[in-house]
Amino acid sequence: MAIFSLGLVATAGALLLRGDRAIDRIQVEGVQAAGDLDGDGEVEVGETKEVLQVLVVGSDAREGLTPEQKREFATGEADGLRTDTIMLVRVDPVTDQAAILSFPRDLLVERCDGTVGKINAAYGIGEETGTGGASCLLRTVSALTNIPIQHYVEVDFSGFVNVVDIVGGVSLYLDEPLEDPKSALDLPAGCVTLQGADALGFVRTRSEDSDYGRIARQQRFLRELVADLTSVDTLTNVPRLFALVDAAAGSVTADDGLSLGVMRRLAFSLRDLSADRIATRTVPAETIISNGEYVGEEPIEEEAQQLFTAFRTGALTSQPEKPAEPKKLGPADVPPALVLNGEGTPGLATEAAEALRAQGYEIARTGDAESFDIAATVVRHPPELAAVAEVLTESLPGVELEEVDTGEPLALVLGDDFDMQTMIPAPEASAGPSAATPSEPAPTPSQTPTLAPEPTPDFAGARDSDIDC
């Protein structure tokens, strides 16, 4: 998954050529032509605007790891290959957006041979039947989701570790410590920089919670890694880009259709992709227990189909942003105003100024108006201060606006009609929770449907943080 992100952000054709020559190629049956979004065999979009849907698999293959690395990463000695990380990645070069759909490893599905069972066994079924592991898994995912898949990418332990180390590690903030001896993970709370070994432990661990927690951590880590890969330092550091491509190319297996031309178009078209433009979702499912034994995770049909449709049609990556609501101006936005006494009672301007300060306004000074025979209280303002003058009148019931020449100060001029009690009412005390009465109806939850829940932030290490490390 991290390696494919690298392919999205590399910006030089020479780098891509160098990496393209080193990537292992396999024949994967079932992939659709790039740009064929509905699987009808016809390309709907032009080459430079094609939307790609890629099956990205994180394998636990130990090949390529030294005995020391196996001990350091706590990977064990298991042989073979398991696909415990399965994601569909949709990239849209037109909008510079991406969506990631994660599949729980124990999701109960119909596999390519017609049997029903856990999705992460599909690869092994393909190997045993001669169909090919990648082909069986791709067909299984495509049949489940009805999403045409244009490419297949497979990433292993060693490549993940190398890329993270070369990029200089990934920094993030943890709300609480995260420890798992089975994944060689021991992280303190606070800002941490995950180098390769710790990063691998972070995306592998599930002892703290579940596979859903692991998925949420993987999705968070991917967003953090993309942020690093798309940083100015990375894009302008040519030696680092060469090293990244070399590390990725040596540990990626891709379908033979993921050509240099596709990679080059992706590199240039998606160079503006950023972490905040990546939508992440997980296939909704419920746990199945039979005779007291755990069976797996069964997709919640209606929610899952709605999510698959949104992914396939691009709804996850093209949801229009709500227009920003105009900022509501308040007393803090009003520049210091004059309060002038045009009524004649001594101390009236000072008393009014104090009442306005209690409302949150800043007073420049108080004083007398040009005369004491002003009939009506007004807020005088130059044209450029019309908006903030209206704010002031909202706190002064019955007071009118009067426009004066440009450059003149904002001023409240007290006239004969000025009444402290009615024109500057005392500020209301803020109502706390106790202000609610039993007769008030309880707020109802939003009825706006959601396509899929975001990863639950209660999972250890999965919470995105506003703290910049």
Side-chain angles (χ1 to χ4, degrees):
M1 55 185 174
I3 316 302
F4 185 68
S5 300
L6 172 65
L8 303 182
V9 300
T11 58
L15 295 178
L16 291 169
L17 177 59
R18 182 177 179 181
D20 185 69
R21 289 171 176 164
I23 294 177
D24 291 335
R25 301 291 178 185
I26 59 173
Q27 194 166 21
V28 181
E29 297 180 5
V31 295
Q32 303 287 348
D36 181 7
L37 303 184
D38 56 12
D40 65 356
E42 295 184 5
V43 175
E44 282 84 25
V45 294
E47 289 185 347
T48 59
K49 298 179 181 180
E50 59 195 20
V51 173
L52 293 182
Q53 292 162 160
V54 184
L55 182 61
V56 181
V57 174
S59 78
D60 64 357
R62 275 72 170 170
E63 289 79 2
L65 296 179
T66 66
E68 293 76 14
Q69 287 175 318
K70 291 179 181 179
R71 289 192 294 272
E72 180 185 1
F73 305 154
T75 62
E77 298 291 339
D79 294 326
L81 180 152
R82 281 151 294 278
T83 54
D84 284 347
T85 298
I86 302 172
M87 296 178 172
L88 268 179
V89 178
R90 187 182 202 275
V91 291
D92 188 341
V94 174
T95 61
D96 287 312
Q97 292 177 309
I100 298 173
L101 178 58
S102 296
F103 296 78
R105 65 194 295 272
D106 293 340
L107 194 68
L108 300 175
V109 300
E110 182 176 332
R111 281 87 60 107
C112 69
D113 65 344
T115 62
V116 175
K118 296 177 180 179
I119 193 171
N120 74 331
Y123 195 100
I125 289 173
E127 293 289 281
E128 293 172 3
T129 60
T131 304
S135 296
C136 180
L137 180 58
L138 187 143
R139 286 178 173 177
T140 298
V141 172
S142 186
L144 170 69
T145 62
N146 196 29
I147 296 173
I149 301 171
Q150 284 78 43
H151 293 294
Y152 174 91
V153 175
E154 191 178 298
V155 187
D156 63 19
F157 282 166
S158 62
F160 181 87
V161 170
N162 290 341
V163 169
V164 174
D165 280 340
I166 292 169
V167 83
V170 175
S171 296
L172 48 81
Y173 181 86
L174 295 176
D175 289 334
E176 56 186 308
L178 192 56
E179 183 177 358
D180 178 14
K182 293 181 180 179
S183 299
L185 190 65
D186 186 7
L187 300 175
C191 284
V192 295
T193 298
L194 303 182
Q195 302 296 340
D198 283 338
L200 182 61
F202 183 81
V203 300
R204 288 181 61 214
T205 183
R206 58 191 176 101
S207 64
E208 286 271 351
D209 32 56
S210 65
D211 189 40
Y212 291 99
R214 176 167 64 175
I215 287 172
R217 282 183 290 275
Q218 290 172 350
Q219 291 175 342
R220 179 190 178 185
F221 185 86
L222 184 55
R223 289 191 296 269
E224 302 278 1
L225 179 56
V226 169
D228 280 358
L229 290 173
T230 55
S231 69
V232 174
D233 288 344
T234 299
L235 292 177
T236 59
N237 188 328
V238 175
R240 177 178 292 179
L241 282 176
F242 271 103
L244 283 169
V245 173
D246 283 348
S251 43
V252 165
T253 299
D255 68 272
D256 53 11
L258 190 54
S259 66
L260 173 61
V262 172
M263 295 176 67
R264 182 181 289 116
R265 290 195 299 273
L266 280 176
F268 285 101
S269 299
L270 287 167
R271 59 186 179 275
D272 291 329
L273 178 68
S274 57
D276 60 355
R277 300 177 74 83
I278 301 175
T280 56
R281 295 290 189 275
T282 302
V283 177
E286 57 184 355
T287 301
I288 302 299
I289 305 292
S290 178
N291 297 323
E293 297 291 330
Y294 173 75
V295 177
E297 305 294 319
E298 186 172 73
I300 302 174
E301 186 65 23
E302 185 176 350
E303 294 180 19
Q305 290 303 323
Q306 185 181 23
L307 178 59
F308 299 154
T309 299
F311 188 96
R312 182 174 61 251
T313 60
L316 290 182
T317 57
S318 61
Q319 302 222 12
E321 296 183 2
K322 293 182 179 179
E325 294 183 3
K327 178 186 175 184
K328 182 174 176 56
L329 299 177
D333 300 297
V334 178
L338 306 180
V339 178
L340 304 178
N341 186 351
E343 187 264 350
T345 301
L348 185 63
T350 300
E351 186 180 359
E354 289 305 315
L356 286 172
R357 287 192 179 98
Q359 299 273 12
Y361 294 97
E362 187 174 347
I363 304 302
R365 65 176 177 85
T366 60
D368 291 335
E370 64 273 13
S371 69
F372 289 142
D373 58 358
I374 295 176
T377 301
V378 295
V379 172
R380 293 177 178 172
H381 68 89
E384 64 270 21
L385 295 182
V388 292
E390 288 185 10
V391 175
L392 187 54
T393 60
E394 290 174 3
S395 300
L396 300 166
V399 175
E400 300 294 331
L401 293 171
E402 180 182 310
E403 187 172 299
V404 293
D405 293 337
T406 297
E408 291 195 26
L410 181 67
L412 170 63
V413 182
L414 309 179
D416 292 339
D417 65 342
F418 180 72
D419 184 330
M420 180 69 70
Q421 300 302 317
T422 59
M423 288 191 173
I424 310 184
E428 296 180 4
S430 58
S434 61
T437 64
S439 61
E440 292 176 340
T444 57
S446 171
Q447 299 302 311
T448 303
T450 56
L451 294 171
E454 292 286 351
T456 303
D458 290 340
F459 290 132
R463 184 190 299 275
D464 285 323
S465 174
D466 293 330
I467 297 177
D468 186 4
C469 292

